Amino acid sequence: MRGTAFSREVLRWSVAIACLAVATVASTAAARASQPDGAEMQFLVVRSGQPGCEPTCAEWISAEGTIVDESPALFKKLLKSIGNRRLPIVVTSPGGDVDAALAIGRMIRARQIEVAVGKTQLIDCQPEQEDCIDSDRQGARRIGIAHSGEAYCNSSCPLMLAGGTGRVVGEWAYLGVHQITTTYVQIETLYRAKYRIVNGKKTMTSKKVVSRRNIGGYKTYEMSKSTERKLKAYLAEMGVGGAVVDLMKITPAADIRKIEPVAMLEMKLTTKLGGVELLTSAEACRTVPAAANCRVFTSVDLE
């Protein structure tokens, strides 16, 4: 009939192949981790348990474990919980997700806080103790001691370190880099699509994923030009030299290249010589004025 549109709905099944590129950094055998392999990064606010520091003791954020996709969200949540306080980060990590490390680094820089490579030895509450009472209910939920011995920051961890306004790595700590491992995964996706035909023209009205399955993939151990540009731009943004990326490129993914303290200074990866004690010791709280991460403990804190 003239002037009347003819329409009918048809149901079609379609298969699409999607290639997803995910940049990751493999854990290094040189990392002397005390935690189980693959343990995800945890963020804890810790108050110094160094004898003689009370009533004014240093506090810091302990960041230990593998950097994963969820790490930036966890870090953001912790920063929100401590308000405007600028607590330094004490980090030990084998590395992990590159983009997550960059995101954390940018949050660190936005908060204008310092970072040190170090390990935190907790004295009272351990991370797995859900029923443990907070130390003072004012943000510092753990008591501990920070030290450089056996501390390490490898792979993508130096990218996180670069975010600090001040960056220190003690002579007993280990900092290393290597090539990025990029994993490409091929996914087969089955869709259910509905179409409507109006005046002979087909238009999709809905599309729903029915199933996905992994049909293969591969890894590359060579940094792409786009990744190199991204990393060097980030480091330049943080005031760190691009030589860090050059070392990553020439070090096989299965190996690790230790960067010595003097070289770190030359690359501006560190801002001064010294270890985690510069940020967490009792001496840091005896200056006038005391460091920003020092807080007086009073009986009111327990109320």
Side-chain angles (χ1 to χ4, degrees), residues 113-126:
I113 54 183
E114 298 178 291
V115 183
V117 176
K119 284 187 71 68
T120 298
Q121 180 181 350
L122 297 176
I123 296 174
D124 58 351
C125 297
Q126 301 300 308

Side-chain angles (χ1 to χ4, degrees), residues 90-258:
V90 175
V91 62
T92 279
S93 173
D97 186 89
V98 170
D99 289 332
L102 299 181
I104 294 173
R106 287 196 168 97
M107 282 190 275
I108 290 171
R109 182 57 60 92
R111 182 62 74 103
Q112 294 289 295
I113 54 183
E114 298 178 291
V115 183
V117 176
K119 284 187 71 68
T120 298
Q121 180 181 350
L122 297 176
I123 296 174
D124 58 351
C125 297
Q126 301 300 308
E128 65 274 10
Q129 291 179 259
E130 297 181 359
D131 58 344
C132 193
I133 298 174
D134 291 353
S135 297
D136 61 20
R137 299 175 187 164
Q138 292 293 313
R141 295 175 170 80
R142 303 288 188 270
I143 299 294
I145 302 292
H147 54 86
S148 296
E150 297 186 349
Y152 54 90
C153 180
N154 293 328
S155 218
S156 66
C157 177
L159 300 173
M160 173 180 165
L161 171 70
T165 52
R167 306 176 290 276
V168 293
V169 182
E171 63 175 312
W172 299 111
Y174 189 102
L175 187 144
V177 296
H178 60 182
Q179 181 63 271
I180 290 175
T181 299
T182 305
T183 302
Y184 293 89
V185 179
Q186 193 173 36
I187 304 295
E188 181 184 74
T189 304
L190 180 64
Y191 298 95
R192 183 174 64 186
K194 290 183 178 181
Y195 299 85
R196 184 176 295 276
I197 299 176
V198 179
N199 289 335
K201 295 182 179 180
K202 183 172 70 173
T203 304
M204 183 183 294
T205 59
S206 68
K207 185 178 180 181
K208 182 180 180 181
V209 175
V210 176
S211 66
R212 287 191 176 96
R213 68 186 182 96
N214 188 331
I215 59 173
Y218 63 95
K219 293 182 179 181
T220 63
Y221 302 94
E222 184 175 347
M223 188 181 299
S224 67
K225 292 294 184 182
S226 60
T227 297
E228 181 179 354
R229 287 193 297 269
K230 179 174 73 173
L231 296 186
K232 286 191 172 181
Y234 166 81
L235 291 172
E237 176 187 338
M238 300 301 162
V240 178
V244 177
V245 177
D246 296 333
L247 277 182
M248 294 171 71
K249 289 175 59 181
I250 64 174
T251 306
D255 199 0
I256 193 77
R257 174 72 62 92
K258 181 181 180 181

Side-chain angles (χ1 to χ4, degrees), residues 38 43 57 64 67 83 87 90 97 110 148 166 191 215-216 240 248 262 268 277 292 297:
F43 300 97
C57 294
E64 296 195 9
I67 302 168
L87 301 182
V90 175
D97 186 89
S148 296
Y191 298 95
I215 59 173
V240 178
M248 294 171 71
V262 173
K268 299 182 180 179
E277 297 78 16
F297 179 85

Side-chain angles (χ1 to χ4, degrees), residues 1-21:
M1 181 181 297
R2 183 177 296 177
T4 301
F6 171 74
S7 68
R8 63 187 175 91
E9 195 171 77
V10 296
L11 186 64
R12 296 284 178 86
W13 293 83
S14 60
V15 176
I17 305 297
C19 291
L20 306 178

